[in-house]
Amino acid sequence: MIDIKEFTRRRKNLMQDMDADSIAILATAGEQVRNRDVNYAFRPDSDFLYLTGFWEPEAVLVLIPGRKHGEYVLFCREKDETQEVWHGRRAGQEGVLDSYGADDSFPITDIDEILPGLMENKTRVYYTMGIHTDFDQRLMGWVNQLKQKIRMGVNAPGEFVALDHLLHEMRLFKSLNEIRMMKKAATVSCRAHQRLMKICQAELYEYQLEAEFIHECMFNGCRDLAYPSIVGSGENGCILHYTENNRLLSSGDLVLVDAGGEYQGYASDITRTYPVSGQFSTEQKALYELVLEAQLAAIEMVYPGSHWNAPHEAAVKVITRGLVRLGLLKGRVDKLIKDEAYKAFYMHRTGHWLGLDVHDVGDYKVDNEWRMLEAGMVLTIEPGIYTGDNRRIAKKWRNIGIRIEDDVRVTRGGHEVLTSNAPKTVAEIEAIMASGQTGNIEDKISEPVKKTMAKKKARKKTASKRTTLRKKSIRRK
Ligand code: GLY
Ligand code: MN
Ligand code: MN
């Protein structure tokens, strides 16, 4: 858990960066309808969560540096016995003072009466436009209300400043407590990837691997995933954001699993690719080793003072050189890099910031230059090769999709890979898959998967009985 002191520290740091006579306003996400009267699971906005730790919808954070009655004001739902019996507990106004460190709190239903008063005579409003457009409109309405009182000596704020600019720079640098949360998400997710490698076999559906991933994460405290899992076997591995996950695994294919649990709001983001059968074919192994070489070269470029693009450049170099060696690209390596010929096989970038959001916030360029890596940043390193249905290459190389993705923290001395417990060398993968395939597979998987497999076995038995009977009757004829 991130403790209350850390949230207080974050708000103080933000207020120090704000100008005098200013106010910051931040609304959280609302509930989203899934269908009729069923909502999606609620998840607060990450900026709001970062500053409050408050996990309820219908809340608005207000920071007013220097306010006598308290700088930290939280609007939230009132306590309500009936609503709480039906829909769950609410902190209420007293609860947010006691448990979340708010200095002052009002019912969210009173915001129209109270918030304009808090903005009176402030010159600047720190606010992020365009996220909750309904709230944008309401905010403009409150400012206009104040403008109409100008003759009564009230000054309306004249300037809006992007709050996310200040906040995202803070979020880019993870505290030790945040690293702890990210390590927990990473450790649980690595175990989940191991579990999948052990149970992977032909005739399971992609979604059955996904189900086992969810089970392992949730069972170990990651109540949500950081993003929808990608489980792409064979040619599906070449679709970068494939989430249908509905194909049967086939023994000659690779399966690409990009999945990560979220712990206390913090994401992990891991990809592993392995052969359904437990053993790489010659072509799969050659491409896999190449992606791994690129990934290791990219990770080596993660250290303070290296620039954001250095890992990507390292990965591109290894991949292009390797594709030429394997005959999949023809020409001089430096020219192929300059012409971006590698993009036919490697079309995405090598990583992104990671934190409360899987594609976390923070600038990648400063003054139009790639920014330097600094201790405390966390990023993914995730090169890949996707051959697709490329008619220019020999058939044996086609429809192979490989990505290897780890979460890497920049430390003072270099870097730390947070996700090293997910096997990734060919030898490690083949060994863990072999260990899973010895013994009874049904002991290793959860009930729903067992049932499906039993049904399939029964269907196969009936089918083979029918074939035998048919053969016999043909012979009789
Ligand atoms: N899972 C999304 C990504 O790797 O960026
Ligand atoms: Mn990623
Ligand atoms: Mn990923």
Side-chain angles (χ1 to χ4, degrees):
M1 283 274 284
I2 305 283
D3 63 18
I4 192 168
K5 282 195 210 126
E6 179 154 342
F7 289 111
T8 308
R9 215 166 31 242
R10 292 172 183 176
R11 289 188 299 268
K12 286 249 176 301
N13 286 346
L14 178 62
M15 284 193 274
Q16 264 166 18
D17 285 345
M18 290 166 59
D19 289 323
D21 286 338
S22 66
I23 180 169
I25 301 171
L26 219 166
T28 193
E31 302 246 47
Q32 299 291 325
V33 175
R34 180 178 182 275
N35 59 303
R36 197 163 157 80
D37 56 353
V38 178
N39 291 338
Y40 285 102
F42 174 73
R43 161 70 157 79
D45 272 334
S46 298
D47 282 344
F48 183 88
L49 186 59
Y50 180 78
L51 289 174
T52 63
F54 190 59
W55 205 286
E56 283 187 29
E58 296 181 68
V60 175
L61 157 80
V62 181
L63 294 177
I64 314 159
R67 178 173 176 260
K68 273 208 195 84
H69 301 295
E71 298 179 311
Y72 170 28
V73 181
L74 194 57
F75 289 87
C76 65
R77 300 179 303 187
E78 283 180 278
K79 286 198 75 67
D80 179 320
E81 248 176 59
T82 312
Q83 287 296 319
E84 289 184 61
V85 165
W86 281 89
H87 301 295
R89 296 186 179 89
R90 296 174 172 196
Q93 279 63 59
E94 281 190 15
V96 296
L97 299 183
D98 293 346
S99 310
Y100 293 88
D103 299 318
D104 209 353
S105 178
F106 302 99
I108 188 74
T109 43
D110 293 350
I111 197 164
D112 283 320
E113 286 81 59
I114 292 169
L115 192 51
L118 296 175
M119 289 196 288
E120 248 181 57
N121 299 324
K122 301 288 171 226
T123 48
R124 293 188 149 187
V125 180
Y126 288 85
Y127 179 74
T128 308
M129 292 279 175
I131 297 176
H132 302 300
T133 44
D134 290 354
F135 196 82
D136 293 351
Q137 299 292 328
R138 292 178 72 190
L139 187 57
M140 290 307 146
W142 295 322
V143 172
N144 284 335
Q145 266 179 38
L146 289 176
K147 279 186 181 161
Q148 282 160 16
K149 291 194 194 164
I150 212 150
R151 265 168 286 147
M152 293 151 76
V154 170
N155 278 327
E159 212 179 322
F160 276 79
V161 182
L163 174 64
D164 48 1
H165 196 70
L166 296 181
L167 202 48
H168 293 177
E169 191 62 17
M170 286 171 60
R171 279 179 53 192
L172 183 54
F173 294 87
K174 275 67 181 175
S175 70
L176 288 179
N177 280 330
E178 291 185 288
I179 294 294
R180 256 178 232 128
M181 300 301 114
M182 294 187 77
K183 281 189 173 172
K184 169 81 178 182
T187 307
V188 168
S189 304
C190 284
R191 268 181 59 177
H193 277 280
Q194 289 184 17
R195 177 183 176 111
L196 265 53
M197 287 178 192
K198 286 184 189 161
I199 66 147
C200 179
Q201 61 171 35
E203 303 299 315
L204 282 178
Y205 282 99
E206 292 164 343
Y207 64 76
Q208 289 178 313
L209 288 186
E210 179 185 10
E212 294 295 308
F213 193 89
I214 294 170
H215 169 87
E216 187 72 25
C217 281
M218 203 183 244
F219 197 84
N220 290 295
C222 291
R223 299 284 305 277
D224 279 303
L225 297 188
Y227 55 93
S229 306
I230 297 167
V231 184
S233 61
E235 65 214 52
N236 294 342
C238 299
I239 303 171
L240 299 179
H241 289 160
Y242 173 79
T243 49
E244 288 159 59
N245 301 353
N246 57 5
R247 179 177 184 261
L248 266 180
L249 303 181
S250 171
S251 73
D253 286 340
L254 291 179
V255 58
L256 181 157
V257 181
D258 183 346
E262 179 181 286
Y263 186 70
Q264 307 268 329
Y266 287 88
S268 66
D269 183 9
I270 309 172
T271 309
R272 290 294 183 263
T273 309
Y274 37 95
V276 171
S277 67
Q279 294 217 302
F280 288 86
S281 73
T282 312
E283 289 75 25
Q284 290 168 350
K285 187 170 168 183
L287 289 177
Y288 187 88
E289 299 273 28
L290 182 51
V291 176
L292 184 57
E293 187 191 341
Q295 204 232 10
L296 296 175
I299 291 174
E300 277 312 301
M301 296 312 292
V302 178
Y303 55 85
S306 181
H307 66 86
W308 166 259
N309 213 34
H312 182 63
E313 285 165 2
V316 162
K317 199 167 182 181
V318 172
I319 284 176
T320 310
R321 206 172 49 206
L323 289 172
V324 170
R325 193 175 63 229
L326 296 173
L328 296 176
L329 279 179
K330 290 185 179 50
R332 273 195 13 239
V333 172
D334 48 357
K335 172 105 174 46
L336 291 168
I337 292 176
K338 193 162 163 269
D339 297 345
E340 300 184 333
Y342 58 86
K343 281 194 174 170
F345 299 96
Y346 178 34
M347 56 295 279
H348 60 78
R349 294 192 53 84
T350 299
H352 49 81
W353 303 129
L354 184 74
L356 282 170
D357 292 306
V358 63
H359 295 158
D360 207 32
V361 294
D363 290 334
Y364 290 96
K365 281 188 167 179
V366 175
D367 295 333
N368 218 24
E369 297 284 338
W370 294 114
R371 78 182 295 162
M372 293 285 178
L373 297 180
E374 293 176 59
M377 295 170 164
V378 180
L379 61 151
T380 66
I381 296 289
E382 50 176 306
I385 291 180
Y386 316 89
T387 59
D389 195 21
N390 188 333
R391 300 292 156 134
R392 291 200 202 147
I393 59 175
K395 208 167 177 187
K396 62 180 183 175
W397 294 109
R398 289 185 203 156
N399 291 318
I400 297 178
I402 299 167
R403 178 162 64 255
I404 308 173
E405 176 174 28
D406 279 307
D407 304 344
V408 185
R409 165 194 180 201
V410 187
T411 60
R412 283 205 197 132
H415 61 254
E416 179 187 13
V417 178
L418 306 181
T419 45
S420 55
N421 283 339
K424 69 175 173 183
T425 65
V426 166
E428 282 166 355
I429 287 175
E430 291 189 347
I432 194 169
M433 293 189 78
S435 81
Q437 283 162 5
T438 55
N440 188 357
I441 186 88
E442 291 178 17
D443 290 340
K444 301 182 190 94
I445 56 185
S446 56
E447 282 308 316
V449 176
K450 260 186 221 176
K451 276 187 193 153
T452 322
M453 290 181 75
K455 266 190 210 156
K456 244 187 245 158
K457 257 190 204 161
R459 269 205 303 272
K460 260 193 184 162
K461 242 187 184 172
T462 328
S464 77
K465 244 188 209 166
R466 271 196 223 116
T467 323
T468 322
L469 285 176
R470 240 194 338 266
K471 275 185 189 156
K472 274 186 189 163
S473 78
I474 291 168
R475 269 204 296 274
R476 261 186 244 124
K477 277 178 201 162

